[in-house]
Amino acid sequence: MILTVITQNTTREPLTTTKTFKAQAVASLLGTSGDTVRRDVDEAGIQVQRQDSSIKTRLFSIENIFELARYRAQKNSKRKVKKSVTLTVYAPKGGVGKTTVTANLASLFALMGLNTLVADLDFQSNLTLSFGYDSELSPEEAKDANIPLDQCIEYHIGHLFPNWPTGQIPLDSVIKKPYGACGPHLVPSDVSLDRLDTLLTYEALEGRNAETAINKLLKDGRGGKLPGIDLSQYDIIMFDAPPAKNRVTRSALLASDFVLAPISLEKFSTKAVSYLASVLTEMNDQYGRNPELLIMGNFFDQNRPRVLQQLSTIRSAYEDCWLNASIRRSEDFPKTLSSDEYELPLCLSKPSSIGAADLRVVAEALIKRMGVFE
Amino acid sequence: MAKNHPTEQDFLKMVTAQTKPNDVASTGLSAPAKPTMKLNRPPSGPKISTEELYNQELEREQAKDNATSPARADIFLNELPSVGEVRKVSLNLIDDSPYQPRLRYDPIKLDTLGLSLQTAGQVEPITVRIIGDRFELLGGHRRCRAARSIGWNEIDAYVKECDDFQAEKIALLQNEGREDLSEYERGKVYKRALERGFAKTQTELASMFGCSQPTVSNCMKLLSLPDEIKSFLEATPSLFGTALAKVLFDLLKDYPNELPLLVEGIQRVANGAETTNFRTWFMMKISSRNRGSKKKETSVVTGKSGKTLFTAKVDNGKVQISLGEGIRVDEQTVAKWVIAALRERADQADIE
């Protein structure tokens, strides 16, 4: 039941680093050539493992790739980060591929060299799982199975709040770095995250505006007002919000510059989008602000008239919110997240698949729309 | 790139081409179904940044901390002489404060509160005073309701000594700060505080309640809405707030005779229509009515040849008859005809 499949064979290293990539695969991840990859990695002085066989092919670890991505971004003087943004991925309805999209986008943003933080706001912890952390793994079980203790989830976003009942925990102890320091950083979640909503409810009852709590956390964290919690290093902060419109979700939306709503083009989802629009209107009435709505189509299938009709209805009603990029329905995406066998997000595990290609287009379109680069 | 699949660019081109509403026909696909349901639009127009929101909240918090007036509810409550320590009081013996300005309790919020009472226990005792052999609430109306809803029999309470005047002041102060008190209810609180002499000016009110003077002024303005509109707020205080009230006052100023249409609009809001597009809806109604009336109220009398002989236009209590081009009769004759026709029907128009 634990993440033992690979870990037991290679006990030295945590699970997420076992997959290796050859230079050509790295090149397709970074959108460049194999030769450039080899040149850059030497230039950057990144230590890459070599094959044991006679031809000493470089075997890039997932950490190596993100290190290289960071190095290349710093070298590229044309692409400078203009402003940091906060993005919530939210769909009022489940089953639209929201968590898969979030995990992939966070990885792709980091591949662009952006310092990315992604927070799992759902106590069901699916995003946490998609980065390889089983939130049910207890320290005792980990010890027995010889899994490094840092694979266990001890803290979640609630622990970053100064008024958390058991005290604030420094950011470094809360976050996970599944793909190394240069990869996306994850604020994981576990089942006890449910308490955050109760805490916010109390705040509200005490007459404080609980829904502005996440905005306050981000601003204080970016402004150096919280010892131990420095959020100023991040170019992008993402939230994976649960479908329920609870206080935590509303608080994340209120703190976000943008809300990305993935909608399933296979199902009739116009009602869900319309509902989300009205939620944003209510928010605007109450606080004078709301995140800008961006809609992205998922499970696109050009051969199905109903899908096209659905797309056309949504496009004509929400032209200005429509992100001009969709993700096609494809067999590449894993059907379910499982804690028995870990798979990297699709954009990393199968960089040359259609799904990965679509995700890259979406990531680029988003970054452009959000005005992250100069 | 994977085999047998278009490239990203092809794909994007395809999505763009096939889904532009106007282009659908040209691709041989059936035209898009007109959305049968009304799709809500996300809000547009000016909004504050996350920085401004942060600063606003900071100011709000500071204003609360700075409001050192001894009249603030918690300080005031602490100063009241206690009758013993915190004790368990039977919920059956607790009555609402008669000074409670809240008109409605949100059942969902009560539910959440009940849930948190159940999971975390009661953090803050309620406050009551003794009236005869029963207790009257000073603070904690919602906690009591929530506790009853989850089947509690008793609740932790501070018992204080307190006269009616103090009790009223506490009720007003305590409830004003609550997040889910609507702006209309808040306006009522301010008005009552003025009437009872707890404060003399709006500025005094603002510092007493730890808010800004414009907030006081805006909330109190809700009370001066016409009664026809106010009755909706009496039924559902949170139906709309100061933002829509501003629009209503604007429209009333420009269209003093259109109160019935405004009431119709508020009825729509009560039925779930958005408040943000109220003005748009109102202007649309006005303009469509004008257009409709012109068409309907201009009648044309044509001859056998099909030419226009007379047109009759109704406008604001006047009937104007125009003579068509080249007709054989003159104005005097037409006037005689009209008068004759009117005389024939005079009994129908006679004053009752």
Side-chain angles (χ1 to χ4, degrees):
Chain A
M1 85 141 257
I2 313 155
L3 302 163
T4 49
V5 186
I6 308 166
T7 326
Q8 271 179 347
N9 304 335
T10 59
T11 46
R12 318 188 300 279
E13 288 198 306
L15 169 95
T16 43
T17 55
T18 50
K19 185 178 161 79
T20 55
F21 298 76
K22 292 184 179 162
Q24 200 49 52
V26 177
S28 75
L29 275 175
L30 300 179
T32 181
S33 71
D35 285 340
T36 314
V37 165
R38 287 183 203 96
R39 194 195 64 218
D40 282 350
V41 79
D42 290 341
E43 208 177 279
I46 298 168
Q47 294 298 312
V48 177
Q49 204 191 328
R50 298 264 183 176
Q51 224 164 18
D52 280 342
S53 61
S54 56
I55 310 161
K56 304 260 183 237
T57 310
R58 288 181 181 86
L59 292 176
F60 288 76
S61 69
I62 194 85
E63 283 92 343
N64 291 154
I65 296 172
F66 282 99
E67 260 178 274
L68 184 60
R70 177 68 51 82
Y71 172 77
R72 284 172 51 82
Q74 279 162 357
K75 211 174 74 167
N76 183 355
S77 53
K78 281 182 211 145
R79 240 188 171 189
K80 286 269 175 284
V81 174
K82 185 169 76 182
K83 60 168 186 193
S84 52
V85 296
T86 308
L87 167 71
T88 293
V89 185
Y90 173 68
K93 226 168 145 179
V96 296
K98 172 179 63 75
T99 300
T100 307
V101 166
T102 311
N104 277 286
L105 287 179
S107 305
L108 288 167
F109 292 156
L111 282 180
M112 293 177 193
L114 294 167
N115 289 294
T116 307
L117 177 72
V118 57
D120 192 347
L121 297 185
D122 192 340
F123 68 87
Q124 299 194 54
S125 316
N126 284 331
L127 182 73
T128 303
L129 185 58
S130 58
F131 281 111
Y133 299 91
D134 180 354
S135 63
E136 290 289 315
L137 178 68
S138 71
E140 294 74 29
E141 285 173 309
K143 220 172 166 186
D144 289 348
N146 234 339
I147 296 173
L149 273 181
D150 66 6
Q151 284 292 111
C152 300
I153 303 304
E154 208 181 338
Y155 305 118
H156 52 65
I157 192 164
H159 292 94
L160 295 178
F161 287 90
N163 50 348
W164 187 252
T166 55
Q168 194 178 26
I169 304 293
L171 183 68
D172 267 346
S173 310
V174 173
I175 55 170
K176 300 288 178 189
K177 298 173 182 174
Y179 312 137
C182 300
H185 293 186
L186 168 73
V187 178
S189 88
D190 69 8
V191 71
S192 67
L193 178 61
D194 200 26
R195 291 220 184 104
L196 181 58
D197 209 58
T198 314
L199 177 84
L200 293 185
T201 303
Y202 263 125
E203 290 283 296
L205 293 176
E206 291 306 308
R208 286 186 282 273
N209 242 339
E211 286 172 1
T212 56
I214 292 183
N215 190 47
K216 185 164 163 49
L217 177 69
L218 295 191
K219 293 288 181 264
D220 285 344
R222 284 195 192 280
K225 284 187 192 158
L226 297 174
I229 296 176
D230 176 17
L231 297 174
S232 65
Q233 51 183 310
Y234 295 110
D235 302 317
I236 292 198
I237 296 181
M238 291 172 75
F239 293 109
D240 184 33
K245 198 193 81 176
N246 58 21
R247 278 189 204 278
V248 179
T249 299
R250 289 176 56 81
S251 188
L253 285 173
L254 201 51
S256 296
D257 304 300
F258 298 90
V259 51
L260 177 67
I263 56 159
S264 164
L265 293 172
E266 283 191 331
K267 297 174 192 152
F268 290 105
S269 42
T270 39
K271 198 169 170 182
V273 179
S274 177
Y275 173 71
L276 177 53
S278 68
V279 168
L280 295 179
T281 301
E282 283 162 25
M283 183 167 284
N284 192 288
D285 287 346
Q286 193 176 350
Y287 295 99
R289 94 165 302 279
N290 62 278
E292 192 179 329
L293 175 62
L294 301 174
I295 305 168
M296 183 208 89
N298 202 1
F299 309 121
F300 179 75
D301 186 342
Q302 79 227 37
N303 298 319
R304 295 176 57 193
R306 199 178 82 173
V307 169
L308 284 177
Q309 210 167 62
Q310 167 94 324
L311 185 53
S312 149
T313 305
I314 290 178
R315 273 200 63 150
S316 56
Y318 299 101
E319 185 67 49
D320 42 342
C321 308
W322 180 256
L323 189 70
N324 215 342
S326 298
I327 296 174
R328 273 168 285 185
R329 195 170 65 79
S330 97
E331 298 304 317
D332 299 328
F333 288 99
K335 284 282 164 290
T336 48
L337 284 166
S338 123
S339 50
D340 295 332
E341 205 179 324
Y342 178 64
E343 262 186 77
L344 286 168
L346 187 71
C347 67
L348 300 172
S349 65
K350 294 178 191 163
S352 52
S353 62
I354 324 162
D358 290 351
L359 283 162
R360 281 197 293 272
V361 175
V362 167
E364 282 291 344
L366 262 176
I367 289 297
K368 198 173 158 204
R369 181 75 180 253
M370 300 193 296
V372 175
F373 289 114
E374 268 170 17
Chain B
M1 200 71 0
K3 291 161 228 87
N4 303 328
H5 281 290
T7 64
E8 288 159 42
Q9 283 77 15
D10 290 343
F11 166 65
L12 268 182
K13 235 184 276 165
M14 196 172 59
V15 172
T16 326
Q18 292 192 340
T19 58
K20 270 199 182 139
N22 300 334
D23 291 356
V24 171
S26 64
T27 60
L29 287 155
S30 58
K34 284 230 173 80
T36 44
M37 59 178 281
K38 179 189 160 277
L39 294 174
N40 295 322
R41 295 279 312 147
S44 56
K47 58 181 179 215
I48 60 170
S49 66
T50 49
E51 280 77 17
E52 285 166 306
L53 178 69
Y54 175 76
N55 291 332
Q56 250 179 34
E57 281 303 301
L58 222 56
E59 273 168 33
R60 210 178 90 104
E61 289 292 309
Q62 271 161 9
K64 264 193 174 170
D65 293 345
N66 292 342
T68 47
S69 153
R72 288 186 59 217
D74 40 355
I75 301 172
F76 201 79
L77 271 175
N78 283 338
E79 281 175 353
L80 289 174
S82 290
V83 185
E85 289 301 297
V86 175
R87 53 184 272 197
K88 294 268 184 207
V89 173
S90 167
L91 278 161
N92 294 332
L93 294 176
I94 300 177
D95 300 316
D96 279 1
S97 161
Y99 309 113
Q100 164 68 271
R102 184 187 305 281
L103 300 173
R104 278 180 67 99
Y105 293 84
D106 181 338
I108 296 168
K109 282 181 176 159
L110 276 186
D111 222 40
T112 324
L113 178 56
L115 205 70
S116 62
L117 282 178
Q118 230 163 10
T119 48
Q122 189 185 353
V123 173
E124 183 68 21
I126 61 162
T127 317
V128 295
R129 62 171 177 156
I130 299 177
I131 300 284
D133 54 357
R134 293 180 65 82
F135 298 92
E136 184 187 285
L137 276 167
L138 293 172
H141 284 78
R142 282 184 305 167
R143 272 168 290 172
C144 274
R145 277 171 174 67
R148 284 191 189 109
S149 77
I150 56 170
W152 284 12
N153 292 321
E154 44 183 30
I155 191 163
D156 288 341
Y158 290 115
V159 184
K160 299 278 185 182
E161 278 172 23
C162 175
D163 62 27
D164 288 357
F165 188 76
Q166 287 169 318
E168 181 170 7
K169 191 167 178 177
I170 289 166
L172 292 181
L173 280 170
Q174 272 207 326
N175 287 292
E176 191 277 341
R178 300 300 191 197
E179 179 228 28
D180 66 345
L181 197 67
S182 70
E183 288 175 307
Y184 179 65
E185 286 166 305
R186 208 159 275 184
K188 286 189 146 184
V189 171
Y190 300 147
K191 187 170 166 240
R192 179 106 141 254
L194 274 182
E195 284 169 359
R196 301 287 291 132
F198 298 133
K200 286 186 190 68
T201 63
Q202 290 195 348
T203 318
E204 265 180 52
L205 275 175
S207 78
M208 175 171 157
F209 288 104
C211 63
S212 69
Q213 185 271 327
T215 307
V216 172
S217 152
N218 287 337
C219 289
M220 286 185 65
K221 240 186 146 190
L222 279 167
L223 305 177
S224 56
L225 281 166
D227 288 343
E228 291 88 332
I229 294 176
K230 223 161 59 181
S231 64
F232 284 93
L233 284 174
E234 279 297 320
T236 316
S238 61
L239 186 60
F240 61 88
T242 53
L244 183 60
K246 253 182 212 149
V247 175
L248 289 173
F249 281 118
D250 270 8
L251 293 175
L252 265 176
K253 207 177 111 210
D254 295 345
Y255 301 90
N257 298 327
E258 295 297 348
L259 182 59
L261 187 58
L262 287 176
V263 172
E264 188 189 329
I266 295 298
Q267 181 62 55
R268 282 180 77 250
V269 172
N271 293 342
E274 283 176 68
T275 55
T276 40
N277 56 19
F278 190 92
R279 190 191 292 269
T280 325
W281 173 85
F282 181 86
M283 299 314 290
M284 218 179 62
K285 273 277 179 189
I286 293 272
S287 72
S288 79
R289 199 170 51 195
N290 287 346
R291 232 182 300 125
S293 67
K294 256 177 216 154
K295 259 183 208 154
K296 220 194 292 171
E297 290 166 23
T298 304
S299 319
V300 181
V301 180
T302 50
K304 277 180 190 148
S305 61
K307 277 197 173 160
T308 302
L309 304 179
F310 309 102
T311 54
K313 208 157 116 191
V314 184
D315 186 21
N316 238 348
K318 282 183 208 158
V319 183
Q320 193 180 22
I321 295 172
S322 311
L323 276 52
E325 232 173 273
I327 60 165
R328 275 183 294 190
V329 287
D330 58 13
E331 292 166 358
Q332 293 304 324
T333 319
V334 175
K336 275 180 199 161
W337 290 352
V338 172
I339 291 162
L342 288 174
R343 285 213 170 106
E344 244 176 68
R345 292 165 179 81
D347 54 326
Q348 290 177 36
D350 212 355
I351 291 158
E352 283 177 50

